[in-house]
Short mmCIF file of all heavy atoms in Angstrom, two decimals:
data_model
loop_
_atom_site.label_atom_id
_atom_site.label_comp_id
_atom_site.label_asym_id
_atom_site.label_seq_id
_atom_site.Cartn_x
_atom_site.Cartn_y
_atom_site.Cartn_z
N SER A 9 77.91 97.40 89.89
CA SER A 9 78.67 96.31 89.27
C SER A 9 80.01 96.80 88.73
O SER A 9 81.01 96.07 88.75
CB SER A 9 77.85 95.66 88.16
OG SER A 9 77.46 96.61 87.19
N GLU A 10 80.06 98.05 88.27
CA GLU A 10 81.32 98.61 87.78
C GLU A 10 82.34 98.72 88.90
O GLU A 10 83.52 98.41 88.73
CB GLU A 10 81.06 99.98 87.15
CG GLU A 10 82.29 100.61 86.54
CD GLU A 10 82.00 101.94 85.89
OE1 GLU A 10 80.81 102.29 85.74
OE2 GLU A 10 82.96 102.65 85.52
N TRP A 11 81.88 99.17 90.08
CA TRP A 11 82.79 99.26 91.22
C TRP A 11 83.29 97.88 91.64
O TRP A 11 84.48 97.70 91.94
CB TRP A 11 82.11 99.95 92.40
CG TRP A 11 82.90 99.80 93.66
CD1 TRP A 11 82.64 98.97 94.71
CD2 TRP A 11 84.12 100.47 93.98
NE1 TRP A 11 83.61 99.08 95.67
CE2 TRP A 11 84.54 100.00 95.25
CE3 TRP A 11 84.91 101.43 93.33
CZ2 TRP A 11 85.70 100.45 95.86
CZ3 TRP A 11 86.07 101.88 93.95
CH2 TRP A 11 86.46 101.39 95.20
N LEU A 12 82.39 96.89 91.65
CA LEU A 12 82.81 95.54 92.03
C LEU A 12 83.87 95.01 91.08
O LEU A 12 84.83 94.36 91.51
CB LEU A 12 81.60 94.60 92.07
CG LEU A 12 80.58 94.79 93.18
CD1 LEU A 12 79.60 93.62 93.19
CD2 LEU A 12 81.23 94.93 94.55
N GLN A 13 83.70 95.26 89.80
CA GLN A 13 84.69 94.80 88.83
C GLN A 13 86.03 95.48 89.07
O GLN A 13 87.09 94.83 89.01
CB GLN A 13 84.20 95.08 87.41
CG GLN A 13 85.13 94.60 86.32
CD GLN A 13 85.37 93.09 86.34
OE1 GLN A 13 84.48 92.32 86.75
NE2 GLN A 13 86.55 92.66 85.94
N PHE A 14 86.01 96.76 89.35
CA PHE A 14 87.23 97.50 89.65
C PHE A 14 87.92 96.94 90.89
O PHE A 14 89.14 96.73 90.92
CB PHE A 14 86.88 98.98 89.84
CG PHE A 14 88.06 99.86 90.12
CD1 PHE A 14 89.06 100.04 89.18
CD2 PHE A 14 88.16 100.52 91.35
CE1 PHE A 14 90.15 100.87 89.45
CE2 PHE A 14 89.25 101.34 91.62
CZ PHE A 14 90.24 101.52 90.66
N ALA A 15 87.13 96.66 91.94
CA ALA A 15 87.69 96.11 93.17
C ALA A 15 88.26 94.72 92.94
O ALA A 15 89.33 94.37 93.47
CB ALA A 15 86.60 96.06 94.25
N ARG A 16 87.59 93.94 92.12
CA ARG A 16 88.07 92.58 91.87
C ARG A 16 89.38 92.58 91.09
O ARG A 16 90.29 91.79 91.36
CB ARG A 16 87.02 91.78 91.11
CG ARG A 16 87.47 90.34 90.88
CD ARG A 16 86.36 89.42 90.52
NE ARG A 16 86.78 88.04 90.73
CZ ARG A 16 86.00 86.99 90.58
NH1 ARG A 16 84.73 87.16 90.25
NH2 ARG A 16 86.46 85.77 90.78
N GLU A 17 89.48 93.45 90.12
CA GLU A 17 90.72 93.53 89.35
C GLU A 17 91.89 93.91 90.27
O GLU A 17 92.99 93.36 90.13
CB GLU A 17 90.56 94.56 88.22
CG GLU A 17 89.63 94.08 87.11
CD GLU A 17 89.29 95.18 86.11
OE1 GLU A 17 89.76 96.33 86.31
OE2 GLU A 17 88.57 94.91 85.14
N GLY A 18 91.65 94.83 91.18
CA GLY A 18 92.69 95.20 92.14
C GLY A 18 93.07 94.03 93.04
O GLY A 18 94.24 93.81 93.35
N ALA A 19 92.07 93.26 93.46
CA ALA A 19 92.34 92.09 94.30
C ALA A 19 93.16 91.04 93.56
O ALA A 19 94.09 90.46 94.13
CB ALA A 19 91.02 91.50 94.79
N LYS A 20 92.84 90.81 92.31
CA LYS A 20 93.59 89.82 91.53
C LYS A 20 95.05 90.21 91.38
O LYS A 20 95.94 89.37 91.45
CB LYS A 20 92.95 89.66 90.15
CG LYS A 20 91.68 88.82 90.14
CD LYS A 20 91.18 88.62 88.72
CE LYS A 20 90.00 87.67 88.68
NZ LYS A 20 89.52 87.44 87.31
N ARG A 21 95.30 91.51 91.19
CA ARG A 21 96.68 91.98 91.03
C ARG A 21 97.50 91.79 92.31
O ARG A 21 98.72 91.63 92.26
CB ARG A 21 96.70 93.46 90.64
CG ARG A 21 96.25 93.75 89.23
CD ARG A 21 96.61 95.18 88.83
NE ARG A 21 96.04 96.17 89.72
CZ ARG A 21 94.85 96.73 89.55
NH1 ARG A 21 94.09 96.37 88.52
NH2 ARG A 21 94.40 97.64 90.39
N ASN A 22 96.84 91.80 93.44
CA ASN A 22 97.56 91.81 94.71
C ASN A 22 97.47 90.52 95.51
O ASN A 22 98.15 90.39 96.54
CB ASN A 22 97.03 92.97 95.57
CG ASN A 22 97.44 94.32 95.02
OD1 ASN A 22 98.60 94.70 95.09
ND2 ASN A 22 96.48 95.04 94.45
N ALA A 23 96.66 89.58 95.09
CA ALA A 23 96.44 88.36 95.88
C ALA A 23 97.73 87.57 96.06
O ALA A 23 98.00 87.03 97.14
CB ALA A 23 95.37 87.50 95.24
N GLU A 24 98.55 87.50 95.03
CA GLU A 24 99.79 86.72 95.13
C GLU A 24 100.74 87.31 96.16
O GLU A 24 101.42 86.58 96.89
CB GLU A 24 100.48 86.66 93.76
CG GLU A 24 101.62 85.66 93.71
CD GLU A 24 102.13 85.41 92.31
OE1 GLU A 24 101.44 85.79 91.34
OE2 GLU A 24 103.22 84.82 92.18
N THR A 25 100.76 88.63 96.26
CA THR A 25 101.61 89.29 97.27
C THR A 25 101.17 88.90 98.68
O THR A 25 101.99 88.63 99.55
CB THR A 25 101.54 90.82 97.10
OG1 THR A 25 102.03 91.16 95.81
CG2 THR A 25 102.36 91.52 98.17
N VAL A 26 99.87 88.85 98.89
CA VAL A 26 99.35 88.49 100.21
C VAL A 26 99.66 87.03 100.52
O VAL A 26 100.12 86.70 101.62
CB VAL A 26 97.84 88.75 100.28
CG1 VAL A 26 97.27 88.27 101.61
CG2 VAL A 26 97.54 90.24 100.11
N VAL A 27 99.43 86.15 99.55
CA VAL A 27 99.67 84.72 99.76
C VAL A 27 101.15 84.46 100.04
O VAL A 27 101.50 83.58 100.85
CB VAL A 27 99.19 83.92 98.53
CG1 VAL A 27 99.66 82.47 98.61
CG2 VAL A 27 97.67 83.98 98.43
N GLY A 28 102.03 85.22 99.43
CA GLY A 28 103.46 85.01 99.60
C GLY A 28 104.08 85.68 100.80
O GLY A 28 105.29 85.57 101.02
N SER A 29 103.28 86.34 101.61
CA SER A 29 103.81 87.06 102.76
C SER A 29 103.96 86.15 103.97
O SER A 29 103.24 85.15 104.11
CB SER A 29 102.91 88.24 103.12
OG SER A 29 101.65 87.78 103.56
N ARG A 30 104.88 86.49 104.84
CA ARG A 30 105.04 85.77 106.10
C ARG A 30 103.91 86.11 107.06
O ARG A 30 103.40 85.25 107.78
CB ARG A 30 106.40 86.12 106.73
CG ARG A 30 106.62 85.53 108.12
CD ARG A 30 107.97 85.96 108.67
NE ARG A 30 108.12 87.40 108.72
CZ ARG A 30 107.63 88.19 109.69
NH1 ARG A 30 106.94 87.65 110.69
NH2 ARG A 30 107.82 89.49 109.66
N VAL A 31 103.55 87.36 107.09
CA VAL A 31 102.46 87.83 107.92
C VAL A 31 101.83 89.02 107.23
O VAL A 31 102.50 89.75 106.51
CB VAL A 31 102.97 88.21 109.34
CG1 VAL A 31 103.95 89.38 109.27
CG2 VAL A 31 101.81 88.56 110.26
N ALA A 32 100.54 89.19 107.43
CA ALA A 32 99.82 90.29 106.80
C ALA A 32 99.13 91.13 107.86
O ALA A 32 98.66 90.62 108.88
CB ALA A 32 98.81 89.75 105.78
N PHE A 33 99.05 92.41 107.59
CA PHE A 33 98.31 93.36 108.42
C PHE A 33 97.31 94.08 107.53
O PHE A 33 97.56 94.33 106.36
CB PHE A 33 99.25 94.38 109.06
CG PHE A 33 100.32 93.80 109.93
CD1 PHE A 33 101.59 93.59 109.44
CD2 PHE A 33 100.05 93.47 111.25
CE1 PHE A 33 102.59 93.04 110.23
CE2 PHE A 33 101.03 92.93 112.06
CZ PHE A 33 102.30 92.71 111.55
#
């Protein structure tokens, strides 16, 4: 559960960058 929380926090920080991109790889 600690790893999942760490992964989720990282995802939250970066989700807006992905949504705002023209294309993602």
